[in-house]
Amino acid sequence: MNLFSKWEMKPEDYGQMVEKVLPDGKKELNQSPYDTALGLNMAQDARKVIGGKMKIEDFHKVYSASLTKEFGNYYASGAEAETKKGSGPKWVMVIDLKKCVGCDTCTVSCKAENRTPPGISYNVVMEKLEGDFPNIQAINLPRPCMQCDKPACAQVCPTRATYKMENGIVAIDNDRCIGCRYCIVACPYGARSFDFGESYEQEMAGYNDVSSPEYGMERGERKKGKTPIGTVRKCSFCFHRLQRGEEPACVETCIGDARYFGDINDPNSIVSKLAASPRAFRLKEELGTQPSVIYLR
């Protein structure tokens, strides 16, 4: 097999790889007790808001009454709060696709670090073969959460459980999340999952004794009816590790040294320099989400 064919992927080709693994919105929301049509319509219009094709005021006018009716006291009405611009770090991840060998170490280390249950992986590596034998190219596309500067997931969240932190991370307040799953459908990268409460306890004794310290919060034993079961989950750039001065688990364990992490506000940081490379691009940049994950091709 020739892994070095002359065929070269373009940014839009990588975007199409993501499109193929997105969840079926209708099927996803049919599992939720909340209005499926409302969630699908909100997700579509949220992307219009992010892309500058619809005013935020018009978005709220269209959906305010329906959200009040559907979610009652859970609904946090009004425009979402603006993220304050601080003087601290703005975390960014850069992934060099020429270095990624598709080993899935990022996926495994992420699951181990964040103790994600069956069916939930914050870091996945999409794979495809391109070309005709014998001129075939193996393509790998790692996909954590994009930590968008303009996240559609936050736009559709009726409880404001999803919000943007000053450091650039899109966070979830699991105590506010009601599991409507509208954010899962709105995310154009397929980076969110619902925690159904499944467990590795039968295969791994003691798995339920401790849950993930997501966003720096220790929640103790994992059991039915206790957060984060019944809520949406996603990559947080291993925020609990950042608080200890460590890198995300996927960055630390990458066998090919394909991942870089740092403060893009620091002009001398390696991520700032790599982001300025002519090889740099963002997934689905045309949507206007402004991802904080940058790829090098």
Side-chain angles (χ1 to χ4, degrees), residues 11 31 63 144 217 236:
Q31 300 177 80
Y63 294 107
M217 180 177 290
S236 67

Side-chain angles (χ1 to χ4, degrees), residues 39-197:
L40 292 174
N41 291 334
M42 283 185 68
Q44 184 176 25
D45 283 345
R47 295 190 188 182
K48 291 180 181 178
V49 172
I50 298 303
K53 298 178 181 178
M54 184 178 189
K55 293 182 179 179
I56 182 66
E57 295 83 5
D58 293 336
F59 180 87
H60 288 295
K61 285 179 183 178
V62 171
Y63 294 107
S64 181
S66 297
L67 289 169
T68 300
K69 180 180 179 181
E70 183 68 19
F71 296 98
N73 293 332
Y74 287 121
Y75 173 45
S77 60
E80 57 277 3
E82 290 290 330
T83 302
K84 295 180 180 179
K85 299 294 183 181
S87 58
K90 166 71 184 306
W91 299 121
V92 163
M93 184 179 293
V94 177
I95 302 177
D96 190 337
L97 297 177
K98 291 188 180 296
K99 285 186 171 183
C100 176
V101 297
C103 64
D104 289 312
T105 299
C106 55
T107 303
V108 175
S109 63
C110 177
K111 284 195 72 70
E113 178 68 35
N114 292 289
R115 303 181 66 86
T116 57
I120 296 182
S121 294
Y122 297 162
N123 259 285
V124 297
V125 180
M126 288 168 271
E127 303 170 335
K128 68 178 292 190
L129 293 177
E130 195 64 51
D132 298 313
F133 184 83
N135 297 311
I136 298 175
Q137 182 177 12
I139 299 165
N140 302 307
L141 178 63
R143 190 237 58 207
C145 171
M146 296 293 109
Q147 314 295 351
C148 304
D149 272 346
K150 294 184 177 181
C153 55
Q155 183 64 52
V156 301
C157 180
T159 66
R160 298 288 174 257
T162 292
Y163 62 98
K164 187 84 178 175
M165 300 174 73
E166 289 185 33
N167 59 18
I169 295 174
V170 177
I172 300 175
D173 183 341
N174 290 100
D175 293 314
R176 297 191 65 164
C177 178
I178 57 175
C180 68
R181 286 166 260 191
Y182 286 9
C183 60
I184 294 178
V185 178
C187 175
Y189 304 102
R192 288 173 164 249
S193 304
F194 183 77
D195 191 332
F196 286 97

